[in-house]
Amino acid sequence: MFEIIIATHGSLSDGLKDSAKVIIGAVDNVHTLNLNPGDDVNKLNEEIIKYIDGFGRETGVLILTDLANASPYNQALLAINQLENEYQKNKYVISGVNLPVLIQAISDQLSEIKVEEAISTIYREGVDALTIWSMNDLSDEFEEDDDF
């Protein structure tokens, strides 16, 4: 089983975990880190390392962040880079976290899939979960029939 860390700006990570708990229930191995205004980004790095050390460095870890190249993402990369080479290989960072990504990650985690095998499915879920809907997509016939 791999561990999941959600590291975001503000309390987005807590909200995602709370929502996943409503849908899935089992979120025991999901950990949240929040970067709030005025927080020291180096402390975020220290917290990520503390989690990884607590899991055991050989444990697979998926770190989900809100934005690529922003502070939580950068601190996750730095934390992984600080590990010995043999422990870096099963650590992954995905940016652009959304609820479908988190649910897929938890499902794979509960299925005891190795993180290196789950990563492509988790990423694909994030891309596939995006949809666009607009009234412009509906035909004129639908607009005339407003007896729903």
Side-chain angles (χ1 to χ4, degrees), residues 10-112:
S11 59
L12 176 61
S13 61
D14 293 331
L16 287 167
K17 182 177 177 178
D18 289 344
S19 296
K21 185 174 184 177
V22 170
I23 296 167
I24 294 180
V27 293
D28 296 337
N29 294 316
V30 177
H31 314 277
T32 61
L33 293 171
N34 302 318
L35 182 65
N36 293 302
D39 285 355
D40 181 355
V41 295
N42 294 318
K43 295 235 187 260
L44 181 63
N45 178 282
E46 293 168 11
E47 290 295 318
I48 294 169
I49 292 289
K50 189 188 312 183
Y51 270 125
I52 291 172
D53 284 342
F55 305 148
R57 290 194 173 199
E58 65 284 345
T59 302
V61 178
L62 172 60
I63 304 172
L64 301 171
T65 68
D66 49 359
L67 297 170
N69 302 314
S71 295
Y73 179 86
N74 293 337
Q75 292 306 312
L77 297 183
L78 288 170
I80 293 169
N81 195 44
Q82 292 170 15
L83 300 172
E84 297 86 7
N85 287 340
E86 68 262 26
Y87 299 125
Q88 293 176 356
K89 296 188 185 334
N90 62 349
K91 310 296 185 280
Y92 294 85
V93 179
I94 296 179
S95 65
V97 64
N98 58 33
L99 189 55
V101 164
L102 180 58
I103 290 170
Q104 184 65 53
I106 295 169
S107 295
D108 289 349
Q109 180 191 59
L110 293 172
S111 298
E112 298 187 16

Side-chain angles (χ1 to χ4, degrees), residues 111-128:
S111 298
E112 298 187 16
I113 297 172
K114 291 182 179 182
V115 67
E116 54 270 18
E117 296 169 9
I119 200 74
S120 63
T121 307
I122 296 166
Y123 174 81
R124 191 172 50 251
E125 181 61 34
V127 174
D128 292 347

